Amino acid sequence: MITPRLQCIINHVTGRVVADIGTDHAYIPIKLIEDGIAENVIASDIKEGPVEIAKQNISKYNKEDKIEVRLGGGLSVLKKNEADTIIIAGMGGEMIEFILREHEDIAKASLLILQPMNSQYELRKYLISNGYTIIDEDIAAEGFKVYNVIIAKSGVQKEFENDIEYHIPVYLKKHKYFKNLFEKKRREFVKVITGLENSKEADKKKLDKYKFWLKELDKYESD
């Protein structure tokens, strides 16, 4: 039930009340209560199907008194300061950004544990440019799949010195799964470049940008 990706998220949870946005099967909330990491959890999802599945799983483990399931989109299910920690995981980075933008006052009142499935570059850019500070990051690996976990809160952070660092921050270089992340990112860049080069109407600006990023990324190996 608890995969390396989910465990990596759980490892960074602190606080008495935790909100799991987009809870799906409610695996994280159940584990948080079972292990005594949180006292109470608010589990939400935008779709009725996952909400019903979450309720069934919570009932199976007899955690109804500790986990409240809510139907709704993003942070609309929360009040400001209702949760000490907010988890937003398993969705695209741009969707996470949209959720944070939509209810910024709620987002900035809690610790954020974010696990974007893609667009990590865009999400880091948004956080650092909009009054958040990234206080920690982690990496989980499941076979060939690599996941970033970003922990952020309200605050001021200096922008990264080089644009490539929004893809792979320098502080991740000592992580045991850095090589996995590096190889994943390199495959991503090469795939985009190859696709653009084979396109009849290639976006030259985008092609040049990815070629530059690939060149900058390869410097990591020589550092």
Side-chain angles (χ1 to χ4, degrees):
M1 183 174 78
I2 297 298
T3 64
R5 176 179 72 91
L6 298 184
Q7 187 60 56
C8 187
I9 294 166
I10 291 167
N11 290 344
H12 293 276
V13 173
T14 59
R16 186 177 59 84
V17 180
V18 178
D20 183 28
I21 306 301
T23 194
D24 198 17
H25 290 71
Y27 291 151
I28 288 177
I30 292 168
K31 184 68 171 175
L32 290 176
I33 297 301
E34 279 192 328
D35 289 0
I37 298 170
E39 293 180 19
N40 296 94
V41 181
I42 299 163
S44 75
D45 209 286
I46 195 170
K47 296 180 180 179
E48 290 185 6
V51 162
E52 289 306 312
I53 292 172
K55 287 180 178 178
Q56 290 171 19
N57 286 337
I58 292 163
S59 177
K60 178 182 176 181
Y61 288 89
N62 299 311
K63 303 300 181 187
E64 299 98 324
D65 60 328
K66 296 291 185 179
I67 305 172
E68 180 185 352
V69 183
R70 298 178 184 178
L71 175 65
L75 302 183
S76 65
V77 298
L78 297 176
K79 297 176 183 177
K80 186 176 179 180
N81 295 313
E82 189 175 13
D84 304 308
T85 300
I86 296 173
I87 300 168
I88 310 177
M91 59 187 80
E94 289 177 305
M95 175 56 71
I96 294 175
E97 176 185 332
F98 173 79
I99 289 171
L100 298 178
R101 283 186 185 276
E102 196 173 31
H103 295 281
E104 191 177 81
D105 59 328
I106 296 174
K108 287 190 173 180
S110 303
L111 180 72
L112 303 175
I113 301 177
L114 312 173
Q115 187 273 299
M117 301 298 279
N118 54 44
S119 302
Q120 293 87 357
Y121 170 90
E122 289 83 359
L123 182 56
R124 290 190 187 97
K125 279 260 188 183
Y126 166 75
L127 290 170
I128 292 172
S129 301
N130 289 272
Y132 294 93
T133 179
I134 297 172
I135 61 173
D136 198 6
E137 285 203 42
D138 209 342
I139 306 170
E142 296 177 10
F144 288 105
K145 295 181 178 179
V146 185
Y147 304 98
N148 290 89
V149 175
I150 300 170
I151 298 89
K153 66 177 184 179
S154 178
V156 178
Q157 179 174 344
K158 289 178 64 176
E159 293 186 358
F160 291 148
E161 291 185 7
N162 300 308
D163 200 46
I164 191 67
E165 293 177 29
Y166 289 96
H167 282 285
I168 301 186
V170 173
Y171 49 70
L172 288 176
K173 291 180 74 172
K174 293 183 179 179
H175 197 285
K176 64 179 180 179
Y177 291 128
F178 174 78
K179 184 177 179 181
N180 305 61
L181 180 63
F182 174 87
E183 290 175 349
K184 173 192 174 184
K185 186 59 65 174
R186 199 178 193 287
R187 287 195 301 271
E188 176 189 318
F189 288 175
V190 170
K191 182 179 179 180
V192 172
I193 290 168
T194 302
L196 288 169
E197 287 180 334
N198 293 332
S199 175
K200 292 181 179 179
E201 297 181 4
D203 183 336
K204 188 177 183 305
K205 186 176 179 181
K206 184 176 180 180
L207 178 60
D208 289 343
K209 179 174 69 174
Y210 272 85
K211 282 185 174 180
F212 172 75
W213 279 342
L214 181 60
K215 187 177 179 180
E216 291 293 298
L217 185 68
D218 284 340
K219 289 180 182 179
Y220 274 69
E221 286 190 310
S222 59
D223 287 349

